[in-house]
């Protein structure tokens, strides 16, 4: 497929446009070129620990001024999911800044849905069991998680990610938890709806062959793996056959 | 089957013989009668937070003096499992008293097997991630858990049990963890071997239809549910068809 046929583009942020403190300038330049041609662009990230304001600042410094509405996180997905179901009162088990991101809703332990956010390395029995007790008391009410990753790697060490904790809760309470982040199709569907196109007209670019590329394709989009960020040799062998794989978005510079 | 045909008896402790601070005297009396008739008896419990010495004291106070060798816990199962495989150096992620129970082994982070014990309500990210990192560094080495319960209930509240945490680890590291407690068959096999009989000659008595009774039957033993402890109305409907169900062991007083 010719990349000019994609009507909308979705980009993972970490590992594709930003990499820790560094900026992946060739990729940033490609996104700027898309925007200059008025091609609709959104940024799809599972990161909710860092605020959108912080991300915006870093994009601006990298020479890519974007609007806050162009960033789609699991929090946006959860909000839209709740609004569609007319749920107004929710219980949020998450650190304070994430609770604040749900200011559209009334936050109350008697809420009709539970949102589970990430405490990062500060998870303790208390918070986890608090979520568990809510689930046992309200077995028929929905539970949403702001991410479902197994683990991440930082400074040569492995770290359990939010998905491990929601897996513990889901297993113990014998109840499905809806993941609002990648790789669940919900976040791609939310982004595609925001663009106003059909999934088949949209492409997702990411550095994670599973969570970004294969998952986007499973949600009906196209998918491109870039060899940066968390990409590791032979990841392309794990891609579904419809996926593309490139070294950098500058491969498309002549489009 | 006539209960006189059972050559050895296994008893759950909590909810069958002791119930929190209380003693279930009719059941205790039945066990004493068995011992007086020289019928071999063992006590099979998942509790490792309380020491065997403490349990012995409570049995003595209840008029049932037993030997320490008659109590089988997940720690005993783990020790036997390790000895059978000639593993001498192990890494134990557990509170200090549980670490001390593995004094037969050399405890070292470079050990060839990982034992995961229960931190109860003191679980923190740090301990959990420490176990996770070990599992990721040694993907081919065995991991044993001292229990696999989903949750327990105390003072009208639900509490996540060890199984929820090992489920998180197993899922995140994509690795099977061997549960040394009920309902895994390993603990019943260990107890049956200790008795020196065939599984089909042994009966397990418990208050948990799943973990005690159905699980023992799945391991080849017989099983009896008593309506005390955590028993709830209609639990008998969840028993496999080979199981028996009685109000109390005094039902057998005329045997």
């Amino acid at each position: 497929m010719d990349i000019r046929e994609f009507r909308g583009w979705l980009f993972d942020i970490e590992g594709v446009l930003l990499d820790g403190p560094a900026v992946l300038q060739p990729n940033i330049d490609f996104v700027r070129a898309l925007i200059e041609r008025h091609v609709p662009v959104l940024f799809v990230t599972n990161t909710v620990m860092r605020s959108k304001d912080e991300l915006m600042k870093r994009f601006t410094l990298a020479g890519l001024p974007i609007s806050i509405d162009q960033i789609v996180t699991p929090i946006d997905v959860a909000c839209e999911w709740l609004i569609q179901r007319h749920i107004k009162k929710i219980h949020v088990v998450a650190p304070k800044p994430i609770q604040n991101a749900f200011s559209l809703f009334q936050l109350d332990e008697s809420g009709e849905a539970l949102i589970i956010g990430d405490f990062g390395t500060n998870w303790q029995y208390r918070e986890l069991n608090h979520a568990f007790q809510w689930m046992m008391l309200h077995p028929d009410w929905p539970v949403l998680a702001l991410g479902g990753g197994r683990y991440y790697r930082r400074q040569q060490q492995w770290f359990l990610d939010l998905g491990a904790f929601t897996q513990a809760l889901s297993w113990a309470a014998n109840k499905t938890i809806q993941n609002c982040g990648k790789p669940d199709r919900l976040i791609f569907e939310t982004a595609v709806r925001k663009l106003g196109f059909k999934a088949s007209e949209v492409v997702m670019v990411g550095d994670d062959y599973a969570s970004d590329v294969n998952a986007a394709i499973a949600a009906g989009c196209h998918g491109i793996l870039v060899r940066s960020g968390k990409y590791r040799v032979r990841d392309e062998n794990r891609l579904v056959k419809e996926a593309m794989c490139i070294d950098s978005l500058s491969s498309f510079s002549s489009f």
Side-chain angles (χ1 to χ4, degrees), chain A:
Chain A
M1 186 165 183
D2 189 316
I3 65 155
R4 278 167 295 195
E5 292 175 35
F6 299 136
R7 295 187 65 188
W9 288 70
L10 307 176
F11 293 94
D12 180 34
I13 298 175
E14 197 60 48
V16 175
L17 303 170
L18 309 174
D19 200 355
V23 169
L24 297 167
Q25 203 61 51
N27 292 349
I28 292 267
D29 291 341
F30 175 78
V31 178
R32 196 189 313 102
L34 284 179
I35 292 172
E36 283 165 3
R37 289 169 188 234
H38 307 289
V39 178
V41 164
L42 294 178
F43 304 92
V44 178
T45 177
N46 270 6
T47 304
V48 293
M49 300 290 272
R50 242 180 304 164
S51 72
K52 285 190 182 182
D53 285 339
E54 205 181 317
L55 281 171
M56 300 263 298
K57 259 183 224 155
R58 296 201 55 214
F59 275 125
T60 304
L61 281 172
L64 186 70
I66 61 167
S67 121
I68 204 159
D69 294 338
Q70 286 178 280
I71 304 174
V72 179
T73 74
I75 292 176
D76 301 307
V77 175
C79 288
E80 190 173 316
W81 195 97
L82 295 164
I83 290 167
Q84 278 173 358
R85 281 155 188 84
H86 309 289
I87 297 174
K88 293 185 174 73
K89 193 158 72 167
I90 60 172
H91 184 39
V92 181
V93 175
K96 206 72 192 169
I98 294 176
Q99 288 184 30
N100 294 342
F102 287 93
S103 56
L104 268 177
F105 302 88
Q106 187 188 340
L107 304 193
D108 192 298
E109 204 156 325
S110 70
E112 291 149 30
L114 174 68
I115 313 292
I116 304 172
D118 196 1
F119 287 89
T121 59
N122 294 318
W123 273 108
Q124 294 196 34
Y125 189 88
R126 191 186 153 82
E127 283 80 31
L128 203 62
N129 204 54
H130 180 73
F132 177 63
Q133 293 186 338
W134 192 97
M135 289 170 70
M136 295 297 276
L137 286 171
H138 310 291
D140 298 324
W141 290 3
V143 182
L144 306 180
L146 302 178
R150 283 170 192 261
Y151 58 85
Y152 57 92
R153 204 166 152 77
R154 196 168 287 167
Q155 293 169 326
Q156 270 81 57
Q157 290 210 300
W158 285 277
F159 291 91
L160 287 165
D161 201 355
L162 176 56
F165 295 92
T166 59
Q167 176 67 21
L169 292 171
S170 171
W171 180 81
N174 195 20
K175 183 171 168 59
T176 304
I177 294 178
Q178 172 65 55
N179 173 19
C180 294
K182 298 179 280 184
D184 195 277
R185 58 185 301 135
L186 203 56
I187 193 166
F188 298 109
E189 286 169 357
T190 304
V192 163
R193 201 176 308 121
K194 219 173 153 84
L195 285 172
F197 300 129
K198 287 186 250 173
S200 61
E201 297 171 320
V202 172
V203 63
M204 168 78 196
V205 182
D207 62 333
D208 184 320
Y209 73 93
S211 262
D212 293 322
V213 186
N214 290 350
I217 291 170
C221 302
H222 299 271
I224 300 173
L225 180 69
V226 285
R227 294 191 183 90
S228 54
K230 69 166 75 162
Y231 164 83
R232 292 174 75 176
V233 180
R234 284 187 290 280
D235 277 355
E236 47 272 79
N237 303 340
R238 301 182 180 103
L239 288 171
V240 296
K241 67 175 190 322
E242 298 87 345
M244 297 172 66
C245 183
I246 55 174
D247 283 337
S248 144
L249 286 163
S250 60
S251 311
F252 296 144
S253 58
S254 61
F255 84 105

